[in-house]
């Protein structure tokens, strides 16, 4: 999936998953906050299911909801971060399971070294997902996940 899919999901997220009137978008983009906004994860996974061709969306949703709960226990995150993380991981599982393709992270070594404890924890947390979908997250993908979780600006 190229940038078109990512943009579709992002704009779909703003319009479909967060109950926010369109006229509030400029304000939200300026403040980057939503008042007690909620994401309908069922709807998010239904939308993703229309685009992820290599994985069963029901199994993926179940696995990622469990994964996000585990991560959140140790690494609390905003709703935006959780949503972005789940979307990224869903697309990564589909991409890796289906085509064996990982997105390269040019800062992989630096991120893994600096956040080694987070890396180690995440390796444990993602292991059930890897087993369930017969795939392995590369260190590049792990660095991408850490970047989202820790909100690293590159």
């Amino acid at each position: 999936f190229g940038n078109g899919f990512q943009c579709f999901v992002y704009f779909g997220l703003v319009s479909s998953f967060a109950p926010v009137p369109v006229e509030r978008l400029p304000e939200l983009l300026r403040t980057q906050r939503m008042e007690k906004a909620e994401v309908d994860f069922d709807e998010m996974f239904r939308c993703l299911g229309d685009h992820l061709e290599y994985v069963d969306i029901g199994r993926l949703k179940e696995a990622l909801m469990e994964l996000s709960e585990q991560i959140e226990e140790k690494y609390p995150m905003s709703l935006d971060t959780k949503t972005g993380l789940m979307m990224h991981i869903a697309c990564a599982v589909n991409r890796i399971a289906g085509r064996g393709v990982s997105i390269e992270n040019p800062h992989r070594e630096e991120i893994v070294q600096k956040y080694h404890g987070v890396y180690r924890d995440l390796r444990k947390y993602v292991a059930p997902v890897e087993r369930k979908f017969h795939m392995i997250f590369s260190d590049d993908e792990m660095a991408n996940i850490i970047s989202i979780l820790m909100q690293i600006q590159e």
Side-chain angles (χ1 to χ4, degrees), residues 26-43:
E27 170 195 347
L28 293 174
L29 292 172
R30 275 194 309 277
T31 63
Q32 295 182 0
R33 278 188 273 176
M34 287 190 232
E35 302 161 7
K36 297 184 182 181
E38 293 187 22
V39 173
D40 181 342
F41 286 107
D42 290 333
E43 181 64 25

Side-chain angles (χ1 to χ4, degrees), residues 6-78:
Q6 293 170 356
C7 291
F8 168 78
V9 171
Y10 177 75
F11 289 119
L13 180 69
V14 170
S15 62
S16 300
F17 305 134
V20 177
V22 173
E23 59 271 8
R24 286 205 49 219
L25 270 176
E27 170 195 347
L28 293 174
L29 292 172
R30 275 194 309 277
T31 63
Q32 295 182 0
R33 278 188 273 176
M34 287 190 232
E35 302 161 7
K36 297 184 182 181
E38 293 187 22
V39 173
D40 181 342
F41 286 107
D42 290 333
E43 181 64 25
M44 182 181 92
F45 279 98
R46 265 193 298 281
C47 178
L48 286 170
D50 292 341
H51 300 280
L52 303 183
E53 58 191 299
Y54 301 111
V55 294
D56 176 89
I57 199 64
R59 290 178 63 222
L60 184 62
K61 177 186 173 193
E62 179 182 319
L64 295 191
M65 294 303 284
E66 289 175 17
L67 174 61
S68 71
E69 285 177 24
Q70 281 187 306
I71 294 171
E72 265 191 307
E73 283 179 21
K74 186 151 187 185
Y75 302 100
M77 60 185 120
S78 71

Side-chain angles (χ1 to χ4, degrees), residues 84-121:
L85 187 63
M86 290 181 65
M87 290 174 59
H88 175 81
I89 295 172
C91 293
V93 169
N94 184 69
R95 194 173 23 14
I96 296 165
R99 299 190 321 249
V101 176
S102 289
I103 296 176
E104 191 174 315
N105 187 314
H107 306 289
R108 175 193 69 237
E109 289 178 27
E110 177 186 332
I111 291 168
V112 169
Q113 183 177 10
K114 182 175 180 178
Y115 297 95
H116 189 71
V118 177
Y119 171 85
R120 203 173 49 247
D121 290 339

